[in-house]
Amino acid sequence: MGERKDDIKRSCIDCGYANCNKQDRKFPDFCTTTHLDGQVMEEALACYEEEDVKRLTVAAAEVESEHYCQYNRVEEIVAFAKKLGAKKIGIATCVGLLSESRTLAKIFRSHGFEVAGIGCKAGTVQKVEVGIPKKCENTGINMCNPIFQAKMLNKEKTDLNVLVGLCVGHDSLFYKYSDAYVTTAVTKDRVLAHNPAAALYTCASYYGKMMGDAGAEKQ
């Protein structure tokens, strides 16, 4: 069962105003900005004073400012990597998207970057060896190994890592163990041609299918 409306603690995701962006309309009663946790804000702002964080923050803002609604995501990654002064880019890819990753590598190399790539099945470790239930072998006996991917790219001393189609959860582990900063080129969604946002825009019947009991009640 989903939460009842009266039980939901409202936050930014429930806001229809986004007044924190332009400040041209009212703030909702539950607004995070008007109920600010000053200590958390101070801690966050202090992080931006760290040299490496400031460098990345400025680079990200400049890419947005200079190429907003002009560059696609791959172009933005190239521009971002250049602003960071990156020399070597790592690509952590699903083996089902090796063709896309080869194309991405060609693009990066054409801009002068060295590229190191590692596939999710590299090393061919069987799922049962790490405690994954045998029933999960219906999609293959060998595990995806995002921690190995991260550690191999750490060994390569990449300056920036790019994900291409790692599964939900596997991407989380890669983010956790990567020494270099990580951005994502492709988010896997085999049902929607790797465009997961489409699930948020499609017709009411498809949206309702994902809504559990709450969605069923609305149908």
Side-chain angles (χ1 to χ4, degrees), residues 5 8-20 26-37:
K5 286 187 177 181
I8 295 174
K9 181 179 179 181
R10 303 292 176 181
S11 64
C12 292
I13 56 174
D14 302 296
C15 177
Y17 299 103
N19 193 39
C20 55
K26 70 176 183 178
F27 291 99
D29 294 338
F30 57 82
C31 181
T32 301
T33 296
T34 56
H35 297 77
L36 189 67
D37 187 321

Side-chain angles (χ1 to χ4, degrees), residues 3-208:
E3 292 177 305
R4 296 185 308 172
K5 286 187 177 181
D6 293 343
D7 296 333
I8 295 174
K9 181 179 179 181
R10 303 292 176 181
S11 64
C12 292
I13 56 174
D14 302 296
C15 177
Y17 299 103
N19 193 39
C20 55
N21 187 23
K22 295 184 178 180
Q23 295 184 259
D24 59 353
R25 57 185 74 182
K26 70 176 183 178
F27 291 99
D29 294 338
F30 57 82
C31 181
T32 301
T33 296
T34 56
H35 297 77
L36 189 67
D37 187 321
Q39 181 178 348
V40 175
M41 178 61 82
E42 286 183 15
E43 291 173 356
L45 292 177
C47 292
Y48 291 106
E49 295 302 316
E50 298 173 17
E51 183 177 350
D52 198 44
V53 174
K54 182 173 288 187
R55 180 174 64 96
L56 186 137
T57 301
V58 170
E62 288 180 345
V63 170
E64 179 188 26
S65 172
E66 295 167 8
H67 309 295
Y68 194 68
C69 291
Q70 299 175 37
Y71 274 13
N72 61 45
R73 190 168 183 91
V74 172
E75 290 174 310
E76 287 186 337
I77 291 172
V78 169
F80 180 61
K82 288 181 177 179
K83 285 185 177 293
L84 288 179
K87 303 299 183 184
K88 182 185 287 190
I89 297 178
I91 297 178
T93 182
C94 168
V95 294
L97 282 85
L98 282 173
S99 177
E100 292 85 346
S101 291
R102 283 196 296 272
T103 299
L104 185 61
K106 288 178 182 178
I107 293 170
F108 289 156
R109 286 168 177 150
S110 75
H111 286 271
F113 297 107
E114 183 180 352
V115 179
I118 181 78
C120 63
K121 302 290 188 180
T124 60
V125 177
Q126 293 190 4
K127 293 175 180 177
V128 293
E129 291 184 40
V130 298
I132 297 173
K134 192 170 181 62
K135 66 180 181 180
C136 296
E137 290 182 347
N138 64 317
T139 55
I141 64 172
N142 293 325
M143 68 179 287
C144 295
N145 199 338
I147 297 176
F148 178 66
Q149 288 178 285
K151 288 186 174 292
M152 284 299 292
L153 293 181
N154 293 345
K155 188 175 180 180
E156 289 282 347
K157 300 188 182 303
T158 52
D159 301 306
L160 177 69
N161 289 330
V162 179
L163 292 194
V164 178
L166 295 195
C167 298
V168 170
H170 298 155
D171 53 1
S172 302
L173 288 169
F174 185 90
Y175 296 137
K176 178 178 176 65
Y177 286 94
S178 173
D179 288 344
Y181 287 112
V182 184
T183 191
T184 300
V186 179
T187 302
K188 179 184 284 181
D189 189 328
R190 295 199 180 283
V191 174
L192 297 173
H194 307 306
N195 177 22
L200 309 178
Y201 304 135
T202 49
C203 66
S205 60
Y206 190 92
Y207 178 72

